[in-house]
Structures are given as C-alpha cells and as structure tokens.
Amino acid sequence: MTVFAGLRCAMCKTEFPAEALYVCDQCLGPLEAYYEYAAVRRTMTREAIADRPRNLWRYRELLPITGSPRTGFDSGWTPLVRAGRLGEALGVTELYIKDDSVNHPTLSYKDRVVPVAATRALELGFDTLGCASTGNLGNSVAAHSARLGLTCYVFIPQNLEPGKILGSAVAGPHVVGIDGSYDDVNRLCTQVGDRYGWAFANINLRSYYAEGAKTYGFEIVEQLGWRYPRHVVCPVAGGTLLPRIGRAFRELREVGLASGELPRIHAAQAAGCSPVINALESGATHPEPVKPDTIAKSIAIGNPADGYQVLETVRGSGGSGARATDTEILDAVELLARTEGIFTEPAGGTTLAVTINLLKAGTIPTDESIVVCITGNGYKTSNVMADRLPEPTRLGRSLREFEAFLAGQQPATRTSV
Ligand SMILES: *Cc1c(COP(=O)(O)O)cnc(C)c1O
Ligand SMILES: [Zn+2]
C-alpha cells in the first residue's frame, strides 16, 4: 500500500531520501513528500474510502508513512457543520463550518499533523519528540507522545494562556517556557534538534507533519459528497494548513476523486500579526517578518515558515486575504457561539471575522458556497471571554424569588445577531 515515494524540493525539484530532512541543500527550498499518483488511483477509490474507519488515516495512500499508523485512530473526521443560523445572520446561502475545535484528543487541527509526525518519528527510530508551539501543537505532541511512550519536550513562549500551558503539562512532557516570542522559540528548537538528535514535529519532521494537514481538505470535499466548495477561509500562523488544503484539493483531482473548479482559498490573520496579508497587498513573494501583538496567540507567528507557499496558494487559487482586529475577533467568537453553539478560540474568531470582512468588501459573494475553517477550541482560552459575558443571575432558592426576577425581565427572545 506504500505509494509514498520520498521527499522532493518544492523549488528546484531535487529528490531526497525520506529521512528527517526539511530543507534542500541545493537551494534551501522546503522539502515535500511525493507519491506515485498512478498507484494511488488504483486503491484509493471513493468506495474503498467509504469502507475505512472515520479518522485521518482513511486517506492513507496520500500520507507519508511507510508502515502502519501508530496513533491518531480517533483523530480527524470532524464535523462539517451546515451553518444555517450563522448563514442567515450574514446573508449567506451556503455556509459551512469545518469544526476542528472538536478534533480528538486535544481539540485543535494539530491532532491531524501530529499523528503523522509521531508515526514517522517512530519509523525513523527517534525516541524523543518535541515541538516549538504557540499552544495547541504542544497539547497535541504531549498527548500523542504520552500514548506512544515517547519522551516529550514542548517549547513555548512564556506568555501563553493558562489553559494552553495546562493542556500540555497534564500529559507529562517537559514544558519549557522561553523568554521570547514564538519565532525565538522556533530558532532555539532548530538548534536543539540538531544538537541532541531529537525529532521536532514542526521542524525536522516538518515535511511529514505538514502532510497531515491535507486531511482537513480531503474531508471537506468528501463531506460535501466529493464536491469542491467555491471558497475556503483559512487562518494562517506558520502557514502549514492553508497550502496543504490547496494541495489536498489538487491531489483529489489528480487521483480522480473530485473534479470541477478548484476552490478559492482566502487567508485570515489578526491585524496584530499579518505578515502574509501585508505581502498579498504589497505583491511580495515572501512575507516580511513582523512582531506579533494580538489576542489570537495561537496564530501569532511573525515569521511564517511556509509563508511563501501560503502566498503562492492564495494567488494561484484566485483567493485573497484580510485582517481582523482583536475586537472583531472576540465579536466573531461570540457570534459563532450564539448562532451555531460552537465555542472557538481567537484563531477561529479571526477566521470568521475575516470572512465577514471579505463578504462586506464583496470579495466573497454571498450566493456562493463558503467553508470557514474553525481550528481550535474556546475552552482553552476562556480567559479572553470572561469580562465580555454577563455574570450569572444570583437568586435564593425559592420559586417566589425566581418569579420576581422573571417579572422584571424583558420578554424572553433569542439573542439577535
Ligand atoms: C496552529 C494553528 C493554526 C494554523 O497554523 P499554521 O501554522 O498556519 O498551520 C490555526 N488555528 C489554530 C487554533 C492553531 O492552533
Ligand atoms: Zn531545492
């Protein structure tokens, strides 16, 4: 079943063996997994996939491992929610939420990329798995390492939300808080990986890790009945997810699982950290690094590792990008919860807020199908919502008190949006 053929430079196309390599020694381009698509066509039919377990490994032929999956058997296959009330509030006819806020087991899209990186780490003989994280990646690396019995190091900037730090610590890794930004953490981890020979999910195993993100795109199309949506709005941090959704869409066409026009992919960033949007506006091919300052900490990456691919994918798909302010982000978190009952973190709020801004600008027409990528869970960052929401009404225990309270209320209506 192995049709994974090796690594290839995305820029100069030089081929490399499938090891813990991630940059081309000829041109410094990123290395990507490649596959024998003719062989994939033979085994990966719609019927074959329909019979497989509902997890990310149902697209096994297009994932870069050589043996059997080792973890992630309950990861992926998250809901594609038809968002009727939110669509109505925004005047959109066909709106979907791809909801990775409920991805197993650590409630973010990172539970797609980590199972692939962790499986590959075992195949390559590593006993230590680490990562440079803005929070969610650390949670996922810690959880999958725990389950596999791997030694684990999670490196984070010190200023993360308490819920994100706790979500890693509970699984028992070494959590290392660095006095610096994510970009400083990433630089340190590159040195640590080289010096100690450890696997770092998003650094020296990045070529494998990134491929797991394709499953987000595969699922969107399969869940729409093997149909492409017209628009996808995706948050951008280090730039793993957005280009892999684009790659997933192209691969499905390549292996004959979907046909028709490829979706337009739009990038969402917070106004306080928008290197990719800056580049889309200036016409640059590589984002200029920025210093992040936003409430959306999980996407606060000033120097995105895959920024070049993000720009290429957005431009190549006929997509666009926009920013959202911290206030717009929190308003969108509330709107999503009040219309669809989905509680996302500020990264998800950014994606929805940017979708709203693109609708307002007319960049996305209201009568075309739209998928909004919700990538993380709001319970981890409940601190950011606390002072926006009313305190519970406090009453004694008698019915009389409740009746008095109710008589003083406005007639009950659903919260308008
Ligand atoms: C990691 C992350 C992203 C996107 O990150 P990329 O590095 O661009 O793939 C988006 N949302 C959340 C909640 C994340 O944790
Ligand atoms: Zn190269």
Side-chain angles (χ1 to χ4, degrees):
M1 179 139 156
T2 297
V3 292
F4 165 46
L7 300 179
R8 185 158 61 198
C9 175
M11 316 288 281
C12 74
K13 310 296 171 198
T14 305
E15 292 180 6
F16 293 84
E19 292 164 11
L21 299 170
Y22 59 107
V23 278
C24 174
D25 58 9
Q26 308 290 307
C27 77
L28 302 182
L31 303 188
E32 278 187 337
Y34 70 104
Y35 306 85
E36 306 292 352
Y37 289 129
V40 174
R41 271 175 178 268
R42 287 194 286 277
T43 58
M44 203 169 148
T45 61
R46 290 183 185 183
E47 297 69 34
I49 294 169
D51 283 342
R52 297 178 183 177
R54 294 183 161 194
N55 65 41
L56 65 100
W57 298 109
R58 65 202 272 108
Y59 313 104
R60 164 74 180 76
E61 286 90 334
L62 293 172
L63 294 172
I65 62 170
T66 51
S68 298
R70 304 288 286 273
T71 184
F73 302 106
D74 302 287
S75 303
W77 200 261
T78 57
L80 182 73
V81 176
R82 178 74 196 249
R85 281 200 87 231
L86 177 60
E88 209 173 297
L90 303 181
V92 170
T93 46
E94 194 182 350
L95 185 66
Y96 302 89
I97 302 295
K98 177 60 175 166
D99 188 9
D100 267 20
S101 77
V102 292
N103 201 4
H104 182 89
T106 64
L107 309 177
S108 85
Y109 113 79
K110 300 304 193 302
D111 287 320
R112 301 175 178 279
V113 283
V114 172
V116 177
T119 296
R120 196 66 192 133
L122 291 173
E123 289 181 346
L124 292 171
F126 288 100
D127 58 11
T128 301
L129 183 60
C131 65
S133 174
T134 55
N136 285 318
L137 177 58
N139 294 175
S140 185
V141 166
H144 291 278
S145 295
R147 157 169 204 174
L148 291 166
L150 285 164
T151 302
C152 181
Y153 281 84
V154 169
F155 290 78
I156 50 173
Q158 275 169 18
N159 69 351
L160 290 189
E161 304 92 340
K164 290 274 175 65
I165 298 174
L166 189 141
S168 290
V170 71
H174 302 274
V175 181
V176 186
I178 301 301
D179 181 14
S181 69
Y182 171 82
D183 299 287
D184 299 318
V185 174
N186 194 283
R187 204 169 312 116
L188 172 65
C189 288
T190 307
Q191 296 171 320
V192 171
D194 282 350
R195 163 136 350 180
Y196 296 98
W198 295 347
F200 274 80
N202 58 331
I203 301 177
N204 50 17
L205 295 186
R206 191 171 185 84
S207 314
Y208 307 103
Y209 162 92
E211 289 291 287
K214 294 189 305 189
T215 62
Y216 195 97
F218 294 149
E219 288 176 18
I220 290 172
V221 177
E222 184 179 356
Q223 289 170 321
L224 285 174
W226 296 110
R227 182 169 66 85
Y228 291 122
R230 196 69 208 89
H231 300 271
V232 174
V233 187
C234 180
V236 176
T240 302
L241 181 59
L242 187 148
R244 275 63 192 202
I245 291 176
R247 192 175 197 208
F249 292 158
R250 291 192 304 275
E251 283 188 337
L252 290 179
R253 201 160 68 170
E254 181 77 36
V255 303
L257 282 165
S259 60
E261 204 176 345
L262 293 173
R264 294 179 194 273
I265 305 180
H266 307 272
Q269 293 204 298
C273 182
S274 54
V276 159
I277 311 304
N278 296 346
L280 284 172
E281 289 171 354
S282 73
T285 54
H286 290 270
E288 195 67 41
V290 302
K291 203 167 173 312
D293 178 17
T294 169
I295 199 164
K297 292 187 191 295
S298 57
I299 53 170
I301 297 186
N303 187 12
D306 289 351
Y308 171 84
Q309 288 99 310
V310 172
L311 294 170
E312 201 182 42
T313 303
V314 168
R315 289 178 175 134
S317 75
S320 69
R323 305 175 183 81
T325 64
D326 283 1
T327 306
E328 290 173 325
I329 290 169
L330 294 179
D331 287 346
V333 168
E334 249 182 81
L335 176 63
L336 182 61
R338 288 172 185 219
T339 51
E340 299 297 333
I342 295 170
F343 184 18
T344 188
E345 62 159 277
T350 305
T351 315
L352 178 55
V354 163
T355 306
I356 293 170
N357 290 343
L358 292 173
L359 286 163
K360 280 186 188 152
T363 311
I364 299 182
T366 54
D367 60 350
E368 298 185 347
S369 56
I370 306 167
V371 175
V372 178
C373 301
I374 295 298
T375 46
N377 193 297
Y379 288 105
K380 293 189 192 183
T381 55
S382 54
N383 56 306
V384 303
M385 297 307 290
D387 56 358
R388 290 177 61 101
L389 302 175
E391 288 291 313
T393 302
R394 288 175 201 283
L395 297 176
R397 22 186 141 162
S398 71
L399 178 61
R400 198 166 37 75
E401 255 188 85
F402 179 73
E403 285 176 333
F405 151 74
L406 203 58
Q409 287 284 298
Q410 302 296 325
T413 52
R414 289 209 60 98
T415 311
S416 61
V417 287

